[in-house]
Amino acid sequence: MLSKVYASAVQGVEATTITIEVNLGGRPAEGQRFYHMVGLPDNAVKEGFQRIEAALTNAGYEFPRRQTVVNLAPADIRKEGSAYDLSIAVGILASSAQIVSDKLENFIIMGELALDGGLRPIKGVLPIAIQARKEGYKGMILPKTNAKEAAIVKDLDVYGVEHIDDVVKFFNGDTELKPEVHNTRELFEENVNQYDVDFDDVKGQENIKRAMEIAAAGGHNVILIGPPGAGKTMLAKRLPTILPPLSLMEALETTKIHSVSGLMGANSSLIATRPFRSPHHTISDVALVGGGSNPSPGEISLAHNGVLFLDELPEFKRTVLEVMRQPMEARKVTISRAKISVDYPASFMLIAAMNPCPCGYYNHPDKECVCGPGVVKKYLSKVSGPLLDRIDLHVEVTPVSYDELADSHKRSESSQVIVQRVMRARERQTERFKNQNGIYNNAQMSGKMVAEVCQLNQAGTVLLKTAMERLQLSARAYDRILKVARTIADLAQSEEIKIEHLAEAIQYRSLDREGWAG
């Protein structure tokens, strides 16, 4: 007897529906294999046979000892992981008439089986649910711990189950399952922009906070240079709190990536805050940009719509930093293999932090640098020019004085106050780039657009020329200064770039000054 059950395979951040066909034949000859699986399954899928047999037997169902062929169609897509256990088990039960199969065509069924028939969570539930709704399936049956995540998708009945027995009784009409119900918009609005940190935690460092506000307002990448303990990491962790809140569409995009990576916790649903990813400097190329034999998203994709923080930047391997350059420009990364090519989104803000030298105290106001001649320059040269070319703001971070730390009466501006100014500046940019495809903020402007949007008056032209000559700024600083000046003008709600906006932008190019490193 032939039965069909429907499951799904995730490729990149999109899902493809898989038809699982189970056919039961006659009794096998003595010594002959009675179970065959075709359709490009990997080892994890093949090993599911032993789990399924034990689960059905322990749950009190008969496992038929007959010629069984399981086909996973379409056969040219590789099937990976243990998420097909439940689908195949239901197909075997339907083929052996232990399940009434007239409702199977309405559902996507997925889950990993434990040996006692219990269900364990799977990866990639959200893209699977989105595809199921798109293709008109009535509902989805999956492990209970994944149900909240899938229930984000409207117009799809999501049934979370804990044991295969629940699935059998549901299809046989012996019990009713209650669908998981969530108001996606209400859930999103309850949790959006709920952070555990705030800019009012930071004592002093007003000039650095100003630089972070400019970065948030224009989507600019930032590098923080300063001695140990000056507050670089503390400031970077608070940057997401002053970025504009995620839209519902951005939240769904972000959740899909984390779902595919298996990073959604048990009973979690929609990610409503901007991601903050901080990989260790020993990270590999593949872990940063994504890939592997079974391609999966890297840190730059997990930081999509949020912040990627690289602490101790010169300690990262040169090759790791260089592979990041192209995705920073394209805002996506393409992983190509012999039979498959997948795209992962990677639109993130880069915040890097570094000491100015190996000992950490070059240019320190109180402590003396003990690094030898040429060491500082050699240390900074670990960060390549092409990477620095993609970083708009170079910010020197100095230590906070004791008086500022001890002043308990002075309160800093909160993130809620700062983000209002950032959002007003972003609104101006949205209006400015409404006819530009793929351009959403000042940092994304091309050289041609900079010339159109960032025009200077006579006084501004003279100031910029003087700064370029006297500070011996490199050529790459020119466009960056103009972009940052445009963002500062947007924060001031000014149509034109004034001389004070330009002057402030010029000071954020420390590493472009000839002789800065001695």
Side-chain angles (χ1 to χ4, degrees), residues 208-217 242 413 418 421-422 491:
I208 317 301
K209 292 177 190 174
R210 169 66 176 173
M212 300 298 268
E213 181 180 336
I214 293 168
I242 61 170
E413 276 189 317
I418 299 171
R421 296 196 294 266
V422 169
L491 279 167

Side-chain angles (χ1 to χ4, degrees), residues 177-423:
L177 293 177
K178 290 185 178 180
E180 193 82 23
V181 178
H182 287 294
N183 185 322
T184 305
R185 188 165 292 279
E186 186 178 296
L187 181 71
F188 173 69
E189 289 173 356
E190 280 177 8
N191 296 293
V192 70
N193 256 28
Q194 297 296 313
Y195 295 97
D196 296 327
V197 295
D198 196 284
F199 260 91
D200 65 10
D201 302 330
V202 184
K203 299 286 185 73
Q205 303 288 25
E206 299 305 324
N207 59 326
I208 317 301
K209 292 177 190 174
R210 169 66 176 173
M212 300 298 268
E213 181 180 336
I214 293 168
H220 302 288
N221 299 322
V222 185
I223 185 166
L224 304 173
I225 315 146
K232 302 185 294 292
T233 302
M234 187 178 188
L235 286 157
K237 285 183 176 178
R238 283 154 179 76
L239 181 63
T241 68
I242 61 170
L243 290 172
L246 284 172
S247 66
L248 185 56
M249 188 57 66
E250 286 176 325
L252 285 167
E253 282 180 357
T254 305
T255 306
K256 278 173 71 174
I257 298 167
H258 284 72
S259 175
V260 167
S261 301
L263 297 180
M264 300 296 291
N267 299 310
S268 58
S269 53
L270 192 65
I271 292 176
T273 56
R274 293 194 178 272
F276 180 86
R277 303 294 299 181
S278 180
H280 192 261
H281 62 258
T282 56
I283 192 171
S284 67
D285 307 14
V286 170
L288 186 69
V289 299
S293 54
N294 299 327
S296 60
E299 289 290 335
I300 62 173
S301 295
L302 294 171
H304 180 62
N305 291 325
V307 174
L308 178 68
F309 177 49
L310 302 184
D311 202 0
E312 306 296 347
L313 187 67
E315 303 301 330
F316 283 79
K317 289 187 292 185
R318 184 75 171 244
T319 54
V320 171
L321 297 179
E322 296 309 298
V323 295
M324 196 170 59
R325 283 159 40 186
Q326 190 270 340
M328 285 174 68
E329 292 288 332
R331 299 197 300 282
K332 68 175 182 178
V333 59
T334 301
I335 309 296
S336 297
R337 295 292 179 266
K339 293 185 178 180
I340 189 173
S341 180
V342 296
D343 288 335
Y344 293 115
S347 180
F348 60 91
M349 278 182 64
L350 173 66
I351 306 297
M354 59 182 286
N355 296 331
C357 65
C359 81
Y361 297 109
Y362 181 75
N363 275 351
H364 194 283
D366 302 316
K367 297 186 180 181
E368 187 177 347
C369 174
V370 297
C371 299
V375 172
V376 177
K377 198 166 189 176
K378 184 179 179 182
Y379 183 74
L380 295 177
S381 69
K382 291 182 179 181
V383 183
S384 71
L387 181 62
L388 281 178
D389 194 31
R390 289 162 172 80
I391 299 177
D392 294 344
L393 284 85
H394 306 164
V395 184
E396 293 184 65
V397 183
T398 53
V400 182
S401 68
Y402 172 79
D403 290 339
E404 287 179 306
L405 285 173
D407 188 353
S408 59
H409 300 293
K410 185 179 179 182
R411 295 293 295 175
S412 300
E413 276 189 317
S414 70
S415 296
Q416 286 185 337
V417 174
I418 299 171
V419 77
Q420 295 304 316
R421 296 196 294 266
V422 169
M423 289 172 67

